[in-house]
Amino acid sequence: MRFAGRAFVAGNIECLTALHIGGASTGIDIGGVDNIVVRNPLNNQPYIPGSSLRGKMRSLLERACALPFTQSIGPHVSIHRCRSAGEYADCPVCVVFGVTSDEPFAEPTRLVVRDVALEAESGKRLQRLRTTELPFTEVKWEVAIDRVTSAANPRQQERVPAGAVFGPFELVFSFYDEDIARDARRFGHLVEAMRHLEDDYLGGGGSRGSGRIAFRDLRLEVRTVADYRARKVRQPLGVEIACVEDLGSDGVIGKLRETLAAGLPAE
């Protein structure tokens, strides 16, 4: 397999409803928040881990494609994992999101998902607020009611308020010249996962209102293998992208395929 280049999907993630992605509760004082958000220890700001974003997109795509959950990754948690080369070659998930390297048919994982910091202006707005209980976040009270005794069991959940923006996010998709056309179709599977995520939720508490997000200010850049050798920076693909739907259009997929193929070195 020869490396052909990379596509870079970037933009911002807007929280249409409040967002909770849980962090470790180590060090929380008695009487503090029950379910805290993950924060950057250097500036105390909440962020979106790349693992959370990547894992949710993978899970949604597995379900959308009705793939069997064949590998346990923890108590009561299973994911799809191809078990043969034939199954792997046509899988919309495993080639993109990866399988463990001990499989003899495993290829390089196509997708890299970066952590997403709180967007600078959004961070400043949240820092100026005096109505949030904690720095950059709110505390939502929930009450579980015992169905027999009607006893209330209150709990707290820390959330990033609706309207906050994280960014820029970056999804990096690698292409290989063994079959650029097939990898271009696989890029379309990533876009499908992004569509599902916008209509589902990110993080915890989604069935109770949290975690609805939207991808904003999208842009797509490319760096071919020839660009790397010539020390050229990544370049815009040169197509209009107003929303996630545009990323998966025939025009964008075709342009990606042509640009990467043109950047391959001569034999």
Side-chain angles (χ1 to χ4, degrees), residues 48-77:
I48 298 175
S51 57
S52 297
L53 187 57
R54 191 177 191 274
K56 184 66 177 189
M57 288 194 294
R58 177 174 186 146
S59 174
L60 291 171
L61 193 59
E62 286 173 345
R63 294 183 182 278
C65 297
L67 296 174
F69 300 141
T70 54
Q71 179 181 0
S72 174
I73 58 173
H76 313 297
V77 179

Side-chain angles (χ1 to χ4, degrees), residues 18-256:
L19 176 70
H20 172 84
I21 296 179
S25 58
T26 303
I28 296 299
D29 294 331
I30 295 174
V33 178
D34 299 316
N35 299 308
I36 64 171
V37 301
V38 62
R39 291 176 180 265
N40 183 335
L42 295 180
N43 57 19
N44 205 34
Q45 291 186 355
Y47 71 99
I48 298 175
S51 57
S52 297
L53 187 57
R54 191 177 191 274
K56 184 66 177 189
M57 288 194 294
R58 177 174 186 146
S59 174
L60 291 171
L61 193 59
E62 286 173 345
R63 294 183 182 278
C65 297
L67 296 174
F69 300 141
T70 54
Q71 179 181 0
S72 174
I73 58 173
H76 313 297
V77 179
S78 296
I79 64 172
H80 171 73
R81 176 182 174 183
C82 289
R83 297 297 187 181
S84 68
E87 184 184 4
Y88 179 83
D90 295 321
C91 181
V93 171
C94 287
V95 180
V96 175
F97 292 90
V99 297
T100 54
S101 58
D102 59 347
E103 294 289 7
F105 52 79
E107 297 177 357
T109 301
R110 300 306 196 272
L111 180 64
V112 172
V113 182
R114 313 287 191 200
D115 288 348
V116 193
L118 193 62
E119 191 268 334
E121 286 303 315
S122 189
K124 291 177 183 178
R125 288 197 301 273
L126 289 173
Q127 198 166 30
R128 289 194 296 265
L129 289 178
R130 295 293 180 264
T131 55
T132 56
E133 294 86 345
L134 295 170
F136 308 102
T137 60
E138 65 183 21
V139 174
K140 177 176 180 276
W141 281 90
E142 298 178 346
V143 179
I145 304 296
D146 188 292
R147 271 48 171 184
V148 177
T149 66
S150 296
N153 180 27
R155 61 188 179 218
Q156 300 165 303
Q157 181 157 294
E158 185 183 12
R159 307 192 305 175
V160 181
V165 177
F166 291 84
F169 76 86
E170 185 174 73
L171 312 178
V172 185
F173 195 99
S174 297
F175 291 78
Y176 293 85
D177 76 329
E178 180 181 358
D179 195 343
I180 289 178
R182 175 173 283 190
D183 273 353
R185 292 194 297 273
R186 289 165 173 158
F187 179 83
H189 296 314
L190 169 61
V191 178
E192 181 184 350
M194 294 174 69
R195 292 194 203 105
H196 285 299
L197 182 53
E198 283 195 322
D199 287 343
D200 201 85
Y201 63 88
L202 181 63
S207 62
R208 303 190 301 278
S210 300
R212 187 183 176 203
I213 62 97
F215 295 105
R216 305 293 195 200
D217 309 315
L218 291 168
R219 56 190 181 275
L220 179 59
E221 298 175 331
V222 178
R223 198 174 187 186
T224 68
V225 67
D227 292 333
Y228 279 99
R229 292 181 179 180
R231 300 182 181 179
K232 293 182 180 179
V233 299
R234 61 180 83 166
Q235 299 292 329
L237 187 63
V239 291
E240 187 74 22
I241 300 174
C243 61
V244 173
E245 296 297 332
D246 292 340
L247 277 174
S249 68
D250 292 340
V252 168
I253 299 297
K255 183 77 170 178
L256 267 176

